[in-house]
Amino acid sequence: MAQEKPPRRRSMVGWYDPRVLAHSAYQVAIANIFGRHSDTRLIEALASQPQAEFNYSAAQGDFWFDYAADIGDGWNSTFAVADAIARPELTLQHDGGTVTTQSGKVLVLGGDEVYPYPTRNEYDTRTETPYRLAFAGRPRPDVFAIPGNHDWYDSLVAFSRTFCRPERGFAGCHTRQTRSYFALQLPANWWLLAIDLQLGADLDEPQVQYFQKVAARMDDAARLIFCVPEPRWILEDAYPRHSSYEELTSTRFLEEKVFRRKARVFLTGDLHFYKRHENAEGVQKITSGGGGAFLHPTHAPATRQLRNGFAERAAYPDAQTSKRLSWRNLLFPFINPKSGWLYAFLYAMSAWLASASLEASDVINIPTALAAATNAAIRDPLNGMWLVTVIAAFIFFTDTHVRSWRILGGASHALLHLAAAFFVGWIALRLTTQAFHLSYGSIAQLLISGLVVFVVGGPVGAFILGVYLFVSIRIFGRHYNEAFSSLRIQDFKQWLRLRIDASGVLTIHAIAIDRVPRRWRAAQRGGESTMEADDARASAPRLIDKVEVRP
Ligand SMILES: [Fe+2]
């Protein structure tokens, strides 16, 4: 029996780790420049064989398929979901009874298959290995995937290698697609159309032509499920002045000009929670991004009643839980210890620049020192440039679509940090001159006070950021992404299990794992190596929502 070496179990991505921040910023910038100017979808379409729809319509009996999105993050969360998806049968608690579900013939991955950015190694350790071990010794589905923004950050190079090479497969499962979009013909005339909108919201011409050919093979009774990379119906409502979140013209174009009918169901990820919205015609818009990535808040932005007529029918986790979790931002320095390096640098640089223009007579007390530092900030170009850069950076970081709020919020946040840097610098000065009796301005005094500011500034700055994020998400309902990526919550995971029965009814089950296992042990299944949960405190998968869409 082959004994493999245990997999590398990655922790949740530390989004405030300066290395991750810098590399993400670099990747996003490059992707925005080259991705938009040299569209990989076009190259893929030219280079690959023509792709038809993939036909599963002849399947006998109930047809089951799974949908998971935002998957490749920490091991605990990613593997917990993968392992639950791969179990041939899953019995779930619901309304005092139980519901038995079966693993899908098809697994659709709905975007953001890896974090923080796509490389061959990250796809391998964070995504493919957990799924390979989950399917070990179990029936394997056909796997299909569309890219989310994180998959696009290398212009789709690693995504194409992972999901668009049928001869290679994914995690021991068959893959069939050769492009980053696809159509599945399902039983009872249901069609699943998975759309790649790149980093913006644009359809490329080969993709439009592909869906036109698919549409030509549909009859009048065909029913559509759209898989899209983002819940624009939530984002356009939360950021009404953000031009790129305007009513998504691409899916409307597909409905009106290509398929000439409305989609009955929309599936997406991108936001890492479960929410189901429904309109008066019974159209379902489902956000299901709980496949592994950190949890997003469900209480903000408010989505109970969207302006486009869709109302929220279910949310997981509930708003109370989401609000309670946001308190953890007050522990920001402990959850994101590496973020301290950024503030250590910011505080030390600020104190250094301010101290260079202070005389011994200025530092008798805080008001005279503050007046001298302010004077220097105005008179000294280097000092002034530093302040302007710091304030501009914080304004850029502020999350609002109202410009005046952005300037006010960002400037206040920056001034809070600059004030804190000043006081930490003042304390370092007093400590070195009064307690250590070093003469003001000597090399030793400057170096030691610089070191004090560096060491104390890190956690102080990180704490202020945590307070800022807590206030933003609890009072203003903003920074939904930053105020929860900071928490790195691996629990509250979920995915969708869908069934088409003989009468053509599509039943969508939303399944959640409240607490994912923290401990695992190596195991064997069907002669293959795998891992098993070894944590009594972990929760079993449960049904959190169920909706039937009738033909
Ligand atoms: Fe995501």
Side-chain angles (χ1 to χ4, degrees), residues 304-484:
R304 282 189 186 282
Q305 185 64 54
L306 303 179
R307 272 178 281 259
N308 57 14
F310 279 79
E312 190 179 291
R313 297 283 180 243
Y316 171 84
D318 61 54
Q320 281 312 316
T321 305
S322 171
K323 281 184 186 172
R324 184 169 48 75
L325 291 168
S326 57
W327 280 97
R328 292 192 192 173
N329 270 300
L330 302 182
L331 300 174
F332 187 99
F334 301 101
I335 303 173
N336 303 281
K338 288 181 185 164
S339 69
W341 289 105
L342 213 68
Y343 289 100
F345 173 76
L346 176 75
Y347 281 39
M349 277 300 290
S350 302
W352 188 15
L353 279 166
S355 69
S357 49
L358 297 185
E359 302 292 332
S361 58
D362 296 327
V363 295
I364 303 163
N365 55 43
I366 288 181
T368 53
L370 194 58
T374 311
N375 191 29
I378 296 164
R379 284 174 179 278
D380 174 25
L382 195 62
N383 243 312
M385 283 299 291
W386 173 254
L387 286 184
V388 169
T389 309
V390 169
I391 293 170
F394 279 96
I395 290 174
F396 177 75
F397 173 73
T398 307
D399 173 39
T400 168
H401 58 285
V402 185
R403 188 176 294 166
S404 49
W405 276 107
R406 189 170 198 169
I407 293 171
L408 192 70
S412 316
H413 185 194
L415 290 174
L416 207 59
H417 280 294
L418 290 169
F422 176 83
F423 283 109
V424 172
W426 171 259
I427 289 164
L429 183 73
R430 300 296 286 180
L431 194 72
T432 46
T433 52
Q434 305 294 311
F436 298 164
H437 303 292
L438 297 168
S439 69
Y440 177 76
S442 66
I443 300 281
Q445 187 269 325
L446 287 173
L447 285 178
I448 293 171
S449 64
L451 188 70
V452 171
V453 174
F454 194 82
V455 171
V456 179
V460 168
F463 178 70
I464 291 175
L465 177 63
V467 172
Y468 167 82
L469 291 174
F470 174 72
V471 170
S472 297
I473 194 69
R474 286 302 295 270
I475 297 175
F476 300 104
R478 291 295 174 191
H479 281 297
Y480 75 86
N481 196 34
E482 295 78 14
F484 266 66

Side-chain angles (χ1 to χ4, degrees), residues 255-274:
E255 284 183 318
E256 290 171 7
K257 306 285 186 207
V258 177
F259 296 109
R260 301 183 195 286
R261 75 202 75 204
K262 295 262 183 208
R264 302 286 304 277
V265 177
F266 288 76
L267 305 179
T268 195
D270 191 54
L271 296 181
H272 310 158
F273 52 52
Y274 175 74

Side-chain angles (χ1 to χ4, degrees), residues 70 112 115 150 270 272:
D70 304 270
D112 285 357
Y115 295 93
H150 288 270
D270 191 54
H272 310 158

Side-chain angles (χ1 to χ4, degrees), residues 66 68 71 74-88 90 103 107 109 126-136 138-139 141 170-171 290-292 493-495 497 513 516 520 525 530-531:
D66 288 289
I71 56 172
W75 167 270
N76 293 342
S77 53
T78 304
F79 187 68
V81 172
D83 181 57
I85 286 175
R87 279 179 231 169
L90 200 56
S103 63
L107 168 61
L109 302 174
R126 289 190 185 272
T127 313
E128 193 160 3
T129 299
Y131 275 83
R132 184 170 49 78
L133 294 183
F135 284 118
R138 286 170 168 164
F170 167 79
K493 289 286 126 336
Q494 59 72 227
W495 85 101
R497 177 154 281 183
I513 303 170
V516 300
W520 306 87
R525 191 171 47 230
T530 185
M531 300 289 282

Side-chain angles (χ1 to χ4, degrees), residues 88-110:
E89 201 172 270
L90 200 56
T91 300
L92 308 161
Q93 303 297 320
H94 182 61
D95 274 350
T98 58
V99 177
T100 300
T101 65
Q102 288 171 26
S103 63
K105 288 265 180 296
V106 165
L107 168 61
V108 175
L109 302 174

